[in-house]
Amino acid sequence: GENVEQHPSTLSVQEGDSAVIKCTYSDSASNYFPWYKQELGKRPQLIIDIRSNVGEKKDQRIAVTLNKTAKHFSLHITETQPEDSAVYFCAARANSGGYQKVTFGTGTKLQVIP
Amino acid sequence: DTEVTQTPKHLVMGMTNKKSLKCEQHMGHRAMYWYKQKAKKPPELMFVYSYEKLSINESVPSRFSPECPNSSLLNLHLHALQPEDSALYLCASSQGRGSPLHFGNGTRLTVT
């Protein structure tokens, strides 16, 4: 089955700096890579996703890059703000018919220091 | 304002109790999921229903019993749970191939 590794497990940055979280996956059949943000006591919320036919995607201060050859993908947050503080999970998914079998990374706790 | 609604928000139950968790979505999604999340860990997939049929059971103990009465509802029946089953139980739905998971706010379960 799929195995997703995520680093670092914790990350502290000063407000305004950039944050980068990296993930690797094992199953070459995985073709969809979402990123979820989970604030304390709340549900995971999708913040950005990328498909395997795209190398990079950007949405305002958030960007994701994908290297299919190396099976790496990364989340980049620029101009960080205190409200970016949360746990971030990367995930990988291979098509499974009408549903999704998503494998999550172990999570990165991001702290943005004002 | 979540589109996937879970009830109850909190549940405390003894090891001999029987209780049920409920999940509802009205987005027309045909796949629904139960995840278990322990503190500081990622969500772990338990069950997947696709078109109201159980498609994945990730070797979950029989004290957890899922049910999908229709395309909008998903239940998780709990019986004879153990304290280590205490966790946040998340329901999710998706349109199917190529669409993201939409999570509910979860039920925080405590087994005493």
Side-chain angles (χ1 to χ4, degrees), chain B residues 2-69:
Chain B
T2 180
E3 297 162 317
V4 178
T5 303
Q6 288 188 245
T7 55
K9 292 182 180 180
H10 302 275
L11 179 62
V12 178
M13 60 185 290
M15 289 188 282
T16 58
N17 291 158
K18 286 185 181 181
K19 297 286 185 183
S20 296
L21 310 185
K22 298 186 182 299
C23 175
E24 189 169 2
Q25 58 88 14
H26 294 289
M27 295 179 282
H29 290 175
R30 303 316 298 255
M32 296 186 76
Y33 311 74
W34 281 115
Y35 280 86
K36 173 183 178 180
Q37 188 177 26
K38 301 282 273 185
K40 301 182 180 179
K41 297 289 186 184
E44 281 180 56
L45 183 63
M46 300 174 73
F47 303 104
V48 180
Y49 275 83
S50 178
Y51 292 89
E52 300 163 49
K53 293 193 187 307
L54 185 64
S55 300
I56 294 181
N57 175 342
E58 292 286 89
S59 303
V60 179
S62 59
R63 58 185 184 268
F64 295 91
S65 175
E67 178 195 20
C68 189

Side-chain angles (χ1 to χ4, degrees), chain A residues 37-109:
Chain A
K37 174 184 180 182
Q38 188 173 27
E39 296 176 40
L40 190 62
K42 297 193 175 179
R43 63 191 169 102
Q45 288 192 278
L46 179 75
I47 55 171
I48 196 166
D49 55 10
I50 191 167
R51 301 183 193 283
S52 57
N53 59 348
V54 175
E56 184 173 357
K57 184 177 178 181
K58 191 173 181 180
D59 182 3
Q60 299 182 344
R61 297 186 295 109
I62 295 173
V64 58
T65 58
L66 172 65
N67 182 329
K68 279 180 58 179
T69 304
K71 296 182 188 164
H72 289 173
F73 57 115
S74 300
L75 178 72
H76 304 252
I77 306 174
T78 58
E79 300 173 24
T80 53
Q81 301 168 3
E83 51 265 38
D84 295 329
S85 296
V87 177
Y88 291 81
F89 293 101
C90 63
R93 186 215 74 192
N95 281 335
S96 301
Y99 57 88
Q100 304 193 20
K101 187 167 184 182
V102 174
T103 302
F104 287 86
T106 48
T108 296
K109 184 176 182 179

Side-chain angles (χ1 to χ4, degrees), chain A residues 17-36:
Chain A
D17 288 351
S18 295
V20 180
I21 302 171
K22 298 184 179 183
C23 291
T24 61
Y25 62 100
S26 61
D27 187 352
S28 57
S30 288
N31 57 10
Y32 173 67
F33 306 92
W35 286 86
Y36 287 87

